[in-house]
């Protein structure tokens, strides 16, 4: 994973300014005030790849023979790319892959790209075997070598010649709508001087944040030694080791928006109620754009609401997840509460169309202490059509504009239609002291 600089991610994700706001209600007469501190943390152990997978031919062994095709389906937003790798089967250690960071999916006008993208496919030497003349009689695995990964552009170091990769592998993009693409790879090497089967392969799509890919070289790095199971693919067509590595780096990455905290007494949770539609008080703005200010102002006016706070991170506006050895974002707020007070929070799942984390049901006893993370659930506000989280071109924090829908607020199932999430308390940690 690339080194991530917190500032540019935060500035690009949610460039809004938030302040705390209070409602000056007196505590209940005769009740003693208790001091509490609520702390909210993004404890997600994030991943750099939003999606990945494998592909293979239909025969035994499952190679892609000349004239045959394979396809895979994925979601991607503007700025994201797709990459893949397959062995040049009749070689010692050559493989096909796009140049990093992968095949572009949108043009400068942010329109999906369709059609022949074969020009972006290249042929690479893994550097672990001395090349022989490619063909059906090549000696596997051949003589060991210790070179870095290099592009094979017309000829290899031993003088063997090759047609351009685009003449041997045809790559075709089709836009399926709603941020989904299908990439089809066709073996077009038949009848050429470089006829070869293609091995089963691996593909991946990286997250993008602040306009930069979190992982711009998921499968290999040109000019560096091979790693992470690529050798097994390049030498013998075994994609399992590389996919194990890629799968370990595929999962969830999301910031949390500034956190709304409300203290109330004698009323139900004033933020939302499942089964009802968004009340039009600003929850939509929080769930779609991470802007809690409108909801905070509306809650301030409600009977039973005692205090409302919006907690920005001290330096970055959003709470970033754990990135490598960089701790996730954390915010705290001191509270004055009395017996009978309830507490609820809400914060946006930053890489979504309208998902938000919030206290379930009627919040929690505001005077309690300890870890209350299990009281937090993930909800769909029902005001925007959902897309793959972190790979949807209509998501606000990926530069998009959501498509409206009108559905009741509901809890997000896990696994859901798009992905499998960690347990919510492994994303959002909330404690009261």
């Amino acid at each position: 994973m690339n080194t991530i600089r917190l500032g540019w991610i935060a500035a690009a994700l949610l460039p809004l300014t938030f302040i705390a706001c209070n409602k000056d209600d007196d505590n209940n007469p005769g009740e003693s005030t208790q001091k509490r501190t609520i702390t909210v943390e993004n404890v997600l152990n994030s991943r750099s790849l939003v999606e990945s997978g494998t592909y293979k031919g239909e025969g035994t062994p499952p190679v892609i023979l000349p004239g045959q095709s394979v396809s895979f389906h994925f979601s991607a937003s503007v700025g994201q790319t797709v990459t893949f790798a397959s062995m040049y089967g009749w070689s010692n250690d050559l493989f096909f892959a796009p140049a990093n960071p992968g095949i572009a999916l949108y043009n400068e006008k942010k329109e999906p790209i369709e059609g022949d993208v074969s020009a972006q496919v290249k042929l690479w030497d893994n550097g672990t075997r001395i090349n022989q003349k490619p063909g059906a009689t090549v000696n596997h695995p051949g003589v060991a070598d210790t070179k870095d990964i290099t592009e094979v552009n017309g000829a290899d170091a031993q003088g063997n010649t090759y047609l351009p990769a685009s003449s041997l592998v045809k790559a075709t993009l089709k836009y399926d709508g709603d941020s989904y693409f299908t990439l089809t790879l066709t073996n077009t090497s038949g009848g050429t001087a470089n006829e070869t089967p293609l091995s089963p392969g691996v593909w991946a799509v990286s997250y993008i944040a602040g306009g930069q890919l979190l992982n711009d070289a998921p499968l290999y790095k040109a000019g560096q030694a091979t790693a992470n199971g690529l050798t097994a693919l390049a030498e013998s067509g075994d994609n399992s080791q590389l996919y194990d590595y890629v799968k370990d780096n595929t999962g969830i990455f999301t910031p949390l928006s500034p956190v709304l905290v409300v203290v109330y007494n004698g009323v139900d949770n004033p933020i939302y109620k499942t089964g009802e539609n968004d009340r039009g008080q600003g929850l939509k703005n929080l769930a779609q754009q991470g802007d809690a200010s409108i909801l905070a102002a509306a809650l301030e006016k409600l009977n039973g609401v005692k205090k409302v706070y919006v907690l920005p991170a001290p330096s970055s506006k959003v709470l970033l997840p754990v990135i490598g050895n960089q701790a996730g974002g954390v915010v705290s707020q001191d509270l004055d509460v009395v017996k009978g007070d309830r507490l609820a929070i809400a914060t946006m799942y930053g890489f979504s169309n309208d998902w938000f984390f919030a206290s379930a049901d009627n919040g929690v006893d505001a005077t309690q202490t300890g870890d209350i993370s299990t009281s937090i659930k993930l909800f769909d506000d029902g005001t925007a059509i959902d897309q793959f989280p972190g790979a949807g071109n209509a998501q606000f924090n990926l530069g998009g504009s959501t498509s409206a829908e009108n559905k009741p607020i509901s809890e997000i199932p896990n696994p859901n239609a798009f992905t499998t999430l960690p347990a919510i308390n492994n994303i959002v940690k909330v404690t009261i002291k």
Side-chain angles (χ1 to χ4, degrees):
M1 181 187 295
N2 293 342
T3 300
I4 305 301
R5 292 177 286 119
L6 303 189
W8 61 256
I9 293 183
L13 291 179
L14 292 168
L16 303 171
T17 300
F18 297 89
I19 59 174
C21 52
N22 299 323
K23 181 176 179 181
D24 293 326
D25 263 348
D26 293 332
N27 289 324
N28 293 340
E31 294 285 358
S32 59
T33 299
Q34 302 179 45
K35 301 290 185 180
R36 295 289 186 269
T37 299
I38 183 171
T39 299
V40 181
E41 302 174 67
N42 189 336
V43 295
L44 173 65
N45 186 9
S46 68
R47 297 292 186 266
S48 64
L49 302 178
V50 62
E51 294 177 86
S52 62
T54 61
Y55 55 87
K56 62 182 181 179
E58 297 180 354
T60 304
V63 297
I64 301 104
L65 297 171
Q68 295 182 340
S69 298
V70 292
S71 298
F72 53 89
H73 185 63
F74 58 94
S75 185
S77 185
V78 175
Q80 291 178 312
T81 58
V82 64
T83 191
F84 67 88
S86 271
M87 180 190 181
Y88 181 126
W90 286 348
S91 74
N92 294 88
D93 67 338
L94 305 184
F95 66 95
F96 294 100
N100 286 323
I103 294 175
L105 301 168
Y106 295 84
N107 63 23
E108 293 180 353
K109 297 180 180 180
K110 299 184 178 181
E111 299 166 334
I113 292 172
E114 293 191 276
D116 190 337
V117 291
S118 306
Q120 298 183 61
V121 181
K122 309 296 181 182
L123 181 61
W124 304 90
D125 186 338
N126 193 54
T128 52
R129 297 288 167 181
I130 294 176
N131 296 319
Q132 298 172 292
K133 183 178 180 180
T137 60
V138 68
N139 180 25
H140 290 292
V143 179
D145 204 356
T146 55
K147 291 187 172 67
D148 294 334
I149 295 172
T150 56
E151 183 180 355
V152 178
N153 191 1
D156 60 26
Q158 286 71 39
N160 301 302
T161 59
Y162 302 86
L163 293 170
S166 58
S167 298
L168 307 176
V169 179
K170 182 178 181 180
T172 308
L173 268 179
K174 179 179 180 296
Y175 184 62
D176 303 316
D178 200 26
S179 289
Y180 281 99
F181 293 84
T182 296
L183 181 64
T184 298
L185 304 177
T186 302
N187 186 336
T188 55
S189 69
T192 73
N194 295 116
E195 182 168 337
T196 182
L198 308 179
S199 76
V202 176
W203 63 268
V205 177
S206 170
Y207 278 101
I208 190 170
Q212 296 190 34
L213 295 168
L214 298 189
N215 191 337
D216 60 3
L219 305 181
Y220 75 96
K221 292 184 179 180
Q224 296 188 21
T226 186
N228 308 317
L230 177 60
T231 294
L233 182 144
E235 291 186 4
S236 63
D238 177 3
N239 64 351
S240 61
Q241 294 180 38
L242 181 59
Y243 182 57
D244 285 344
Y245 167 77
V246 168
K247 185 167 57 175
D248 285 345
N249 286 279
T250 304
I252 304 302
F253 179 100
T254 189
L256 305 179
S257 70
V259 182
L260 183 140
V261 178
V262 57
V263 178
Y264 55 100
N265 197 312
V267 295
D268 290 337
N269 187 335
I271 299 174
Y272 76 101
K273 186 174 183 179
T274 55
E276 293 184 356
N277 283 25
D278 184 294
R279 297 167 180 169
Q281 297 176 336
L283 179 58
K284 171 183 173 180
N285 302 80
L286 181 149
Q288 291 190 15
Q289 300 180 9
D291 179 0
S293 62
I294 298 172
L295 179 59
L299 294 178
E300 283 265 299
K301 301 173 183 177
L302 298 181
N303 291 331
V305 172
K306 300 176 65 175
K307 298 284 185 180
V308 184
Y309 308 89
V310 179
L311 314 181
S315 61
S316 63
K317 301 284 194 301
V318 299
L319 302 184
L320 292 169
V322 178
I323 304 173
N325 60 3
Q326 301 177 31
V330 55
V331 288
S332 295
Q333 176 65 49
D334 293 333
L335 308 171
D336 291 330
V337 296
V338 300
K339 183 178 179 181
D341 283 351
R342 309 290 295 178
L343 180 147
I345 76 163
T347 180
M348 180 189 182
Y349 185 115
F351 279 175
S352 72
N353 296 76
D354 67 338
W355 291 1
F356 65 99
F357 296 99
S359 303
D361 305 320
N362 194 25
V364 299
D365 178 357
T367 65
Q368 70 176 289
T369 59
D371 189 331
I372 62 166
S373 304
T374 56
S375 69
I376 308 302
K377 306 296 182 184
L378 180 60
F379 299 94
D380 183 343
D381 190 47
T383 54
I385 295 173
D386 292 331
Q387 295 176 311
F388 199 110
N393 59 13
Q395 289 164 13
F396 176 79
N397 287 316
L398 294 177
S401 179
T402 55
S403 299
E405 68 176 2
N406 186 21
K407 293 182 179 179
I409 294 170
S410 60
E411 185 175 350
I412 299 292
N414 192 22
N416 53 67
F418 304 101
T419 189
T420 299
L421 300 166
I424 302 304
N425 63 345
N426 288 330
I427 305 175
V428 183
K429 182 178 181 180
V430 184
T431 55
I432 301 177
K433 294 183 179 179

